[in-house]
Amino acid sequence: MSDLVFYTNPMSRGRIVRWMLEEVGAPYDTVIVDFGARSEAFLRLNPMGKVPTIVHQGRVVSEAAAICAYLADAFPEAGLAPQPEERADYYRWMFFSAGPVESAVVNRSLGFEPPAERRAMVGYGDYDLTVDTLEKAVAAHPYIAGERFTAADVYVGSQVGWGVNFGTLPRRPAFEAYLARIDGRPAAVRARQIDDELIAKASANA
């Protein structure tokens, strides 16, 4: 196997990392993880049994946002890591999307809304405030960290795209304009094709 191994399932957040790997352009091997039968070997890498997970030169990285940030640093020739003037927005909005946005969207989907008097206890306050803040972030610049596409756009763009397409985020003009700037990137198109073909193959063999 290569020194970069990608553990994923095409019907998971692994799609985010697939896009990032295609942006990076380094060779990698893919291992499909069956949700119903996670191997002992995989559980030794990630005891939570979660995908995506990567192993790069023997080092394990999990959590999609962390993997995107790691790959940007590990492969600087791809130009996806932030420049000094981009770092604040890059880290701020990538981890805002991984934390408050993820929590607000999942809780809303599960039917949970924090009571007004308890909003200070959750990291996102409430769903509407989180969505409004995300909207301002994607509208502030052409890309999330400024004038240039970075790894943060892979993660934030994936969250926005998933939310808009599946109705967990509203179809606001700022979200749709942001997606129009990033969805057609060759790496994004390749990544979707790879994972969609894997889903089709699995369905045909079911």
Side-chain angles (χ1 to χ4, degrees):
M1 301 184 83
S2 75
D3 65 359
L4 179 55
V5 183
F6 173 41
Y7 293 83
T8 188
N9 185 293
M11 298 180 68
S12 75
R13 291 172 179 81
R15 295 177 74 98
I16 301 171
V17 171
R18 174 81 71 183
W19 178 9
M20 184 64 190
L21 287 164
E22 291 299 315
E23 290 282 356
V24 164
Y28 65 93
D29 291 326
T30 300
V31 178
I32 301 300
V33 176
D34 184 342
F35 289 136
R38 296 170 177 84
S39 70
E40 289 298 322
F42 178 64
L43 291 173
R44 283 194 293 272
L45 297 174
N46 188 338
M48 293 190 71
K50 292 174 57 180
V51 292
T53 296
I54 66 167
V55 180
H56 179 230
Q57 298 178 344
R59 298 178 178 89
V60 179
V61 188
S62 62
E63 312 310 320
I67 295 170
C68 288
Y70 174 87
L71 290 172
D73 290 340
F75 298 94
E77 63 276 12
L80 298 169
Q83 299 298 318
E85 67 276 10
E86 297 168 332
R87 286 177 188 156
D89 283 341
Y90 175 94
Y91 289 111
R92 178 185 184 186
W93 299 118
M94 183 185 290
F95 292 104
F96 176 79
S97 296
V101 172
E102 175 91 3
S103 297
V105 166
V106 169
N107 283 349
R108 167 65 66 94
S109 298
L110 294 174
F112 171 75
E113 297 284 351
E117 68 276 11
R118 297 292 183 89
R119 286 176 184 165
M121 296 180 64
V122 296
Y124 59 89
D126 65 55
Y127 174 87
D128 291 333
L129 176 60
T130 302
V131 173
D132 291 347
T133 303
L134 180 63
E135 179 183 22
K136 291 175 183 175
V138 302
H141 315 286
Y143 299 99
I144 200 67
E147 301 296 315
R148 191 178 65 91
F149 183 91
T150 66
D153 291 292
V154 174
Y155 189 81
V156 177
S158 294
Q159 290 279 29
V160 172
W162 179 274
V164 168
N165 289 328
F166 288 92
T168 58
L169 288 175
R171 284 191 172 274
R172 296 184 179 178
F175 292 150
E176 294 190 322
Y178 177 55
L179 292 175
R181 291 192 287 274
I182 63 176
D183 267 357
R185 291 180 62 84
V189 174
R190 283 196 308 274
R192 288 194 296 269
Q193 289 174 338
I194 293 168
D195 280 327
D196 289 347
E197 287 172 5
L198 287 170
I199 292 171
K201 182 178 179 181
S203 297
N205 293 333

